[in-house]
Each structure stands twice: as structure tokens, then as C-alpha cells.
Amino acid sequence: MNQPLAYIHPQAKIARNVVIEPFSTIHKNVEIDEGTWIGPNVTIMEGARIGKNVKIYPGAVISAPPQDLKFSGEETTAIIGDNCVIRECVTINRGTVEKYKTEVGKNCLLMAYVHVAHDCIIGNNCILANSVQLAGHVTVDDYAIVGGSSAVHQFVRIGAHAMISGGSLVRKDIPPYTKAAREPLSYCGINSIGLRRRGFSNDKINEIQEIYRTVYLRGYNNSKALDHIEVNFTSSKEKDEIVNFIRSSDRGIMKGFSQ
């Protein structure tokens, strides 16, 4: 199903039922799994590993060399998981010696003009809206949503189920289950609507909310808040995830909102 006007390097590994539209270019050392659609004018460069049933729209550039002056041509990859949708003019750079890969998980939607820089790791079921810009080494955990035209500083981590307002400048880590908005970017509650849509019970949502009230609304610093949570909250997966995320944050977490 490859159009004669597409260029496919003879060393590229393409599954039989992949569709490649006219004027697309597939370089060597590329692997594309079955059911994937490559739209017109797409460029897929060395090191791309593209899963099943992926849709890549016109103008996208996948696995271009990283925009990092330290990069010296080492063999690295850019991995896209199954069932992802990569919209128009998205750019995903491959990794450097830091991780040797850039990775997008399964079932993700990257809207038009998104940039994913070298060594980023994006989890499953994530949505990056139009023109989101991820600097190098950013981690986005499962089910996170980043609003359009947001810029994420290098080495930032965005927790699972977090939701970030459009146009945000993300300089600090965003803990899981939270909503982030305003400038400077601040805590503005938990992502309760998203959690309900994903099957979280009311009791679980209330537990998460109480944990973040302790972190952000009761006047504790982070260390005292975590100590209080460890002692006073029943052990649970969500509690452990929040506590471990905050304790392991290298850049520090976003602040609570203040006038």
C-alpha cells in the first residue's frame, strides 16, 4: 500500500499492511509495525520505532537528531507506542546518551505542532494539546493532559492524571492527580472530573483531596506535610504515589496559590 511517490530506504523494516502516502520519506534503521498509517509529507528518520495502528499526519518529523549541542551522533531511538495519533507538524527528537531513547507510550494524542525533545518519556493515554513544547528530559506520567501552547522546562516531571491549563509555563514538577493553572503555575485543586471519568470512586477522590489539603492548604512545609500524611492517612496506592513523587522531586513541586 506504499505510494510510488514515497521514498522508503531498502533497510527500513515496514510491516505488510502499513500505508505510506505520497511524498513521505522513511530513512534506514526504521521499524514500523502493522496497521500504521503514514500520511503525506511525513519524515521518519533513523532510530524510529513505531508501533501498531499509529496515525501520523502530514508534516510530522519523527526521530530527528536531538537539538542538543552535546549530541555526537550516537545511535539512539524514538519510540511511539501502539494506537497513538500524531497530528500535523509534530516533531519528536530521538534520545541522547542520557537515556538513549525518547519514548511516547500507547494510546497517546499529540495534537498539531507539539514538540517532544530528546530523552522525554511520555506514559500511556496522555494528551498534549496544540503547540505544547517539551524540553529535554521531561517525564509525563500516564493519563496526564497538558493544555495547548504550554512550555515545559527541561527535567520537569508531570504526574499521572494531572491536568495543566493551556498557555502554562511549567517550571516545577506537577504532582499526580492535580490541576495546575495561573501564573506562576500553582495548585488549583485535584482533577476530580478526570478521575471520575476513569473510574475512581468518590471515597478515593475524597482521600486524594484530603492529602492535597494537607500539602497545600494547612500551612505545612513539604517535609512536615509528608510526615503528617505518613502518620495520619491509611496506606494506599494513591497515597504512596503522591508521597513518593514529592519526596523524589529534584526540581521541587509547584506551589499553592497565593494572592
Side-chain angles (χ1 to χ4, degrees):
M1 306 236 1
N2 300 336
Q3 296 288 337
L5 294 177
Y7 170 75
I8 303 170
H9 193 281
Q11 294 179 15
K13 298 179 181 179
I14 314 292
R16 284 185 179 274
N17 58 348
V18 171
V19 175
I20 301 174
E21 302 287 4
F23 310 113
S24 287
T25 300
I26 313 294
H27 290 216
K28 67 179 181 179
N29 188 22
V30 168
E31 298 177 12
I32 304 176
D33 213 333
E34 59 188 25
T36 288
W37 175 76
I38 309 296
N41 295 294
V42 171
T43 302
I44 301 180
M45 304 182 76
E46 292 185 38
R49 304 288 184 265
I50 299 172
K52 298 177 181 178
N53 303 313
V54 175
K55 290 182 171 58
I56 303 181
Y57 282 74
V61 180
I62 309 299
S63 198
Q67 299 174 92
D68 183 340
L69 295 177
K70 300 186 296 298
F71 181 70
S72 57
E74 55 267 23
E75 186 172 330
T76 60
T77 58
I79 302 167
I80 299 175
D82 299 344
N83 306 308
C84 285
V85 176
I86 310 297
R87 292 304 302 250
E88 294 82 358
C89 300
V90 168
T91 54
I92 301 174
N93 293 165
R94 64 179 183 261
T96 68
V97 291
E98 175 71 23
K99 289 188 176 74
Y100 284 94
K101 67 177 181 179
T102 301
E103 185 169 6
V104 178
K106 298 179 180 180
N107 307 307
C108 292
L109 170 58
L110 276 58
M111 297 186 193
Y113 299 100
V114 164
H115 174 65
V116 179
H118 59 88
D119 302 290
C120 289
I121 304 295
I122 299 174
N124 301 320
N125 304 290
C126 295
I127 299 175
L128 306 185
N130 296 284
S131 299
V132 166
Q133 308 292 292
L134 303 186
H137 313 281
V138 167
T139 300
V140 182
D141 292 337
D142 294 351
Y143 289 100
I145 299 174
V146 184
S149 299
S150 295
V152 184
H153 195 283
Q154 61 184 352
F155 294 102
V156 158
R157 183 181 177 191
I158 298 171
H161 301 276
M163 185 171 187
I164 299 175
S165 169
S168 296
L169 301 177
V170 187
R171 306 177 181 95
K172 297 287 187 178
D173 292 348
I174 309 299
Y177 311 110
T178 61
K179 293 185 295 186
R182 309 183 181 99
E183 175 55 34
L185 196 65
S186 308
Y187 171 78
C188 63
I190 67 167
N191 184 16
S192 55
I193 293 175
L195 296 179
R196 286 192 185 95
R197 288 173 177 170
R198 294 168 200 138
F200 284 71
S201 68
N202 287 335
D203 287 344
K204 185 59 64 177
I205 291 170
N206 289 336
E207 174 195 336
I208 293 168
Q209 196 160 43
E210 283 300 315
I211 290 172
Y212 279 114
R213 283 179 179 145
T214 302
V215 173
Y216 282 114
L217 302 177
R218 294 189 175 145
Y220 297 115
N221 62 32
N222 287 342
S223 296
K224 289 186 177 179
L226 295 179
D227 290 342
H228 180 87
I229 292 165
E230 293 274 28
V231 171
N232 293 283
F233 285 81
T234 304
S235 181
S236 69
K237 171 182 174 292
E238 291 75 17
K239 170 195 156 183
D240 293 344
E241 185 177 358
I242 293 167
V243 169
N244 292 335
F245 184 101
I246 297 173
R247 285 200 193 282
S248 64
S249 174
D250 293 326
R251 294 191 57 80
I253 63 171
M254 66 176 172
K255 303 298 184 184
F257 177 68
S258 65
Q259 298 294 340

